[in-house]
């Protein structure tokens, strides 16, 4: 049974930091590219960050570039999102997602910002940035 379970959300003041973690089970994480998306009430789902199967390549949405860092530990089956310099507009439900990478294990990789390409999704972790 495939599961992605996010943790680490909460309330933080503007300028603060939070670290989200996504625990994967039921599939081989190293065969998948991973990503974080977020959605605030009334807004469309937004791409936040993605990381290749090996962790060597990352991609960030413009609104978080330079403030957020995505990382993964395939041995521990986890994917993390370090969020620094948080702003009220970062308030959202953050979900991790997995997409099969048929290049995994080789020299190439697959990354995408398109939510519809992702195979598995977690339920999300709520992040609220407010004073």
């Amino acid at each position: 049974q495939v599961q992605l379970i996010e943790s680490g959300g909460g309330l933080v003041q503007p300028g603060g930091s939070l670290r989200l973690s996504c625990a994967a089970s039921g599939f081989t994480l190293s065969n998948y590219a991973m990503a974080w998306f977020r959605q605030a009430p009334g807004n469309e789902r937004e791409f936040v960050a993605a990381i290749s199967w090996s962790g060597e390549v990352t991609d960030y949405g413009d609104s978080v570039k330079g403030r957020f860092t995505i990382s993964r530990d395939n041995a521990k089956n986890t994917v993390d999102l370090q969020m620094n310099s948080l702003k009220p507009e970062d308030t959202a439900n953050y979900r991790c997602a997995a997409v099969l990478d048929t290049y995994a294990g080789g020299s190439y990789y697959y990354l995408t910002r398109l939510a519809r390409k992702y195979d598995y999704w977690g339920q999300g972790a709520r992040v609220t940035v407010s004073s």
Side-chain angles (χ1 to χ4, degrees):
Q1 174 187 0
V2 171
Q3 281 191 311
L4 293 172
I5 301 176
E6 300 91 340
S7 62
L11 173 64
V12 63
Q13 292 187 342
S17 297
L18 274 178
R19 189 177 184 89
L20 300 182
S21 186
C22 174
S25 61
F27 65 102
T28 303
L29 187 65
S30 57
N31 288 338
Y32 287 74
M34 299 296 294
W36 288 90
F37 290 82
R38 68 186 183 185
Q39 188 167 18
N43 289 4
E44 294 186 352
R45 184 166 44 193
E46 178 187 7
F47 168 77
V48 175
I51 188 166
S52 64
W53 68 271
S54 66
E56 293 181 357
V57 181
T58 57
D59 183 29
Y60 295 92
D62 289 343
S63 62
V64 307
K65 198 171 297 182
R67 299 188 296 123
F68 291 11
T69 303
I70 188 171
S71 60
R72 67 189 294 160
D73 187 332
N74 288 337
K76 295 182 179 179
N77 291 323
T78 58
V79 179
D80 290 348
L81 184 69
Q82 178 65 43
M83 305 184 293
N84 298 330
S85 302
L86 283 162
K87 306 174 182 179
E89 50 264 43
D90 294 318
T91 295
N93 187 48
Y94 285 72
R95 301 176 69 184
C96 68
V99 58
L100 181 65
D101 184 357
T102 56
Y103 297 115
S107 301
Y108 300 98
Y109 64 89
Y110 175 73
L111 275 183
T112 180
R113 296 185 174 194
L114 298 176
R116 66 178 185 269
K117 296 291 189 179
Y118 284 81
D119 302 305
Y120 305 127
W121 291 83
Q123 291 299 308
R126 182 77 184 168
V127 173
T128 302
V129 184
S130 175
S131 55

